[in-house]
Amino acid sequence: MGKFAAALSSSERTLRITVAALMRACGENQTKLAEGLRITQGQVSRKQRGQAAWSLGDIDRLSAHYEIPVPDLLCGPTHAVEKLSPMRLAAIIGGSQEVITV
């Protein structure tokens, strides 16, 4: 594998890890993320497993969904999560933000 292919693979892997970290920090699952990006849960799953690539359009929608600039989204999971608005964070990391009334 050449340097370019290795860098591309590394960038895609970093983005998948970043998306997973953002989902966890916001208490989202793939279904909720898919709704926010206007794609199917299956598409999110394939992208997160590396069976399909996140496109530039997807990256723009991720940026808008999480309300963080694209460059911050591409700087890795720790940086991206630190850029989230406190209002986007789940009360319990990995927990759900959904409210259930009884």
Side-chain angles (χ1 to χ4, degrees):
M1 181 182 302
K3 282 184 180 180
F4 179 74
L8 182 61
S9 174
S10 175
S11 296
E12 289 174 353
R13 184 174 154 272
T14 299
L15 182 59
R16 288 194 306 269
I17 293 167
T18 299
V19 170
L22 289 166
M23 287 172 49
R24 182 169 172 77
C26 293
E28 288 182 319
N29 57 27
Q30 288 183 353
T31 301
K32 288 291 182 190
L33 177 58
E35 289 171 7
L37 301 180
R38 296 178 308 280
I39 60 176
T40 67
Q41 180 276 326
Q43 289 172 304
V44 171
S45 178
R46 284 188 293 282
K47 292 171 190 293
Q48 283 300 95
R49 287 193 318 256
Q51 295 175 334
W54 288 101
S55 70
L56 291 175
D58 292 330
I59 292 170
D60 286 339
R61 285 188 295 279
L62 284 166
S63 172
H65 178 73
Y66 289 114
E67 300 174 343
I68 60 173
V70 169
D72 289 325
L73 182 66
L74 300 176
C75 284
T78 302
H79 183 84
V81 170
E82 288 173 352
K83 295 299 179 180
L84 285 169
S85 162
M87 300 207 35
R88 290 286 280 133
L89 296 173
I92 299 172
I93 298 299
S96 175
Q97 292 181 334
E98 294 181 40
V99 176
I100 301 172
T101 56
V102 243

